[in-house]
Amino acid sequence: MDFDDNAILVQCLVNGEENAYKFLLNKFHRKLHAYALTLVNDHSMAQDIVQNVFLKTWKSRNKLNPEFSIQSFLYKSVYNEFINTYQQNKAMMLLQQKYIESIQNVVETTDDSSIERMLAIINKEIQNLPPKCQQVFILSKKEGLTNIEIAEHLDVSIKTVEAQISKAYKILKEKLKDKYSLMLFLLFSNPNKKLFDV
């Protein structure tokens, strides 16, 4: 069964085939979690959002339409789940509409192979960052440590950590143009601290 074919995958989900659901999880879980993380900046909350989306997708699978992209449906579902979560927790900061629309545009108009190619380019540029800059950026944006935790871990000031992260974004913005910069945000941006405009 070719689950890479959108129509086949969706029809199998509608039919309640568990193998199709497992394929869906394996294919999209990591990407959806990365997307949810840009919205809430909290690993646990992002995980909850993604799990809820998959559970709701399975429960309402008979309403899925094989003519529409399951990828777009999932990303929109994550965003809708984020809005629901935000409404339940007023302390969360809602991202600016321009930022949200830019991210939505990237994920809905970029196919999987292009996304993987962009990830490779982004990771290559991260590896080319100055050593200290790269170390702080990875601890912050890939490992999920707070600035305070990084400062304690590296025995430096919080201002130094903030400066290194800002420097990393500045370098990456210069190296990664247009859609790549948006993808960088999709993966690593802290929505509560916008370091440069998208």
Side-chain angles (χ1 to χ4, degrees), residues 35-36 38-41 45 49 78-101 190-194:
Y35 176 46
T38 69
L39 299 175
V40 297
N41 197 37
M45 195 174 295
I49 287 175
V78 167
Y79 175 68
N80 289 336
E81 189 69 24
F82 157 67
I83 292 298
N84 292 336
T85 301
Y86 170 75
Q87 290 173 342
Q88 294 168 7
N89 181 3
K90 296 300 183 182
M92 289 175 59
M93 181 177 289
L94 182 62
L95 296 177
Q96 294 181 8
Q97 192 62 35
K98 178 183 175 184
Y99 172 75
I100 294 172
E101 290 174 353
N190 178 343
N192 296 321
K193 185 174 183 182
K194 199 173 180 186

Side-chain angles (χ1 to χ4, degrees), residues 118 121-122 176-185:
M118 285 193 283
I121 292 173
I122 289 171
L176 303 168
K177 306 296 183 181
D178 304 325
K179 191 174 277 191
Y180 293 103
S181 292
L182 288 173
M183 186 58 67
L184 178 71
F185 263 115

Side-chain angles (χ1 to χ4, degrees), residues 40-183:
V40 297
N41 197 37
D42 181 285
H43 285 276
S44 178
M45 195 174 295
Q47 183 65 27
D48 288 344
I49 287 175
V50 174
Q51 285 182 348
N52 286 339
V53 165
F54 278 118
L55 286 173
K56 289 178 180 178
T57 298
W58 179 248
K59 287 180 180 178
S60 60
R61 59 188 181 277
N62 60 320
K63 298 179 182 178
L64 294 174
N65 188 336
E67 295 182 5
F68 293 104
S69 167
I70 188 68
Q71 173 174 287
S72 295
F73 170 79
L74 289 172
Y75 277 109
K76 287 177 180 177
S77 295
V78 167
Y79 175 68
N80 289 336
E81 189 69 24
F82 157 67
I83 292 298
N84 292 336
T85 301
Y86 170 75
Q87 290 173 342
Q88 294 168 7
N89 181 3
K90 296 300 183 182
M92 289 175 59
M93 181 177 289
L94 182 62
L95 296 177
Q96 294 181 8
Q97 192 62 35
K98 178 183 175 184
Y99 172 75
I100 294 172
E101 290 174 353
S102 297
I103 294 299
Q104 284 291 104
N105 184 61
V106 171
V107 298
E108 290 181 18
T109 61
T110 306
D111 59 39
D112 290 342
S113 62
S114 294
I115 289 176
E116 295 301 325
R117 189 163 56 250
M118 285 193 283
L119 288 176
I121 292 173
I122 289 171
N123 281 319
K124 180 180 178 182
E125 293 300 338
I126 291 173
Q127 294 304 314
N128 288 336
L129 289 170
K132 286 282 187 183
C133 196
Q134 178 192 133
Q135 183 182 29
V136 171
F137 184 83
I138 290 176
L139 287 173
S140 174
K141 303 307 177 183
K142 285 193 172 184
E143 301 299 325
L145 298 184
T146 66
N147 288 357
I148 294 176
E149 290 171 333
I150 296 171
E152 293 176 350
H153 178 67
L154 299 179
D155 194 24
V156 297
S157 69
I158 294 177
K159 285 189 175 181
T160 297
V161 172
E162 293 175 345
Q164 290 293 342
I165 293 174
S166 296
K167 180 180 179 181
Y169 269 119
K170 183 177 180 181
I171 293 173
L172 291 171
K173 183 187 177 184
E174 291 174 354
K175 298 289 186 180
L176 303 168
K177 306 296 183 181
D178 304 325
K179 191 174 277 191
Y180 293 103
S181 292
L182 288 173
M183 186 58 67

